Amino acid sequence: MTKPATVERCRWCGRTLPDAARTGRPRRYCRAGCRQQAHLARKLAAVHGLSDGDVIVDREKLEELQGVLYCLQA
């Protein structure tokens, strides 16, 4: 049985990446704009002391999520 081919996705927008080139580094981003946005996001996160695992959530969305979690627990 063969393994299904894994689809590589852009680390910024999630689009599928074009076919890999034969040489060089593997692509991480689909476009230069995605690479630039990821760089700016990392730079801004570093200024605010956030790590890659930190997530910023709107208070309203957080309360909604907490309500859903409460219903699941009940």
Side-chain angles (χ1 to χ4, degrees):
M1 190 166 164
T2 60
K3 280 186 177 180
T6 58
V7 177
E8 296 291 326
R9 297 202 171 270
C10 177
R11 291 189 176 193
W12 180 252
C13 70
R15 290 186 183 123
T16 57
L17 293 177
D19 293 334
R22 292 183 179 201
T23 60
R25 292 183 190 173
R27 293 184 74 155
R28 293 183 177 180
Y29 305 101
C30 62
R31 302 176 297 172
C34 287
R35 186 177 65 239
Q36 180 68 21
Q37 289 297 322
H39 169 73
L40 293 174
R42 286 191 306 271
K43 189 174 175 182
L44 185 60
V47 167
H48 292 288
L50 301 172
S51 69
D52 287 342
D54 294 336
V55 178
I56 299 174
V57 180
D58 183 16
R59 181 172 301 281
E60 185 177 303
K61 294 290 184 185
L62 177 62
E63 290 173 358
E64 180 182 324
L65 179 61
Q66 287 172 336
V68 170
L69 288 173
Y70 176 77
C71 289
L72 286 173
Q73 290 174 346

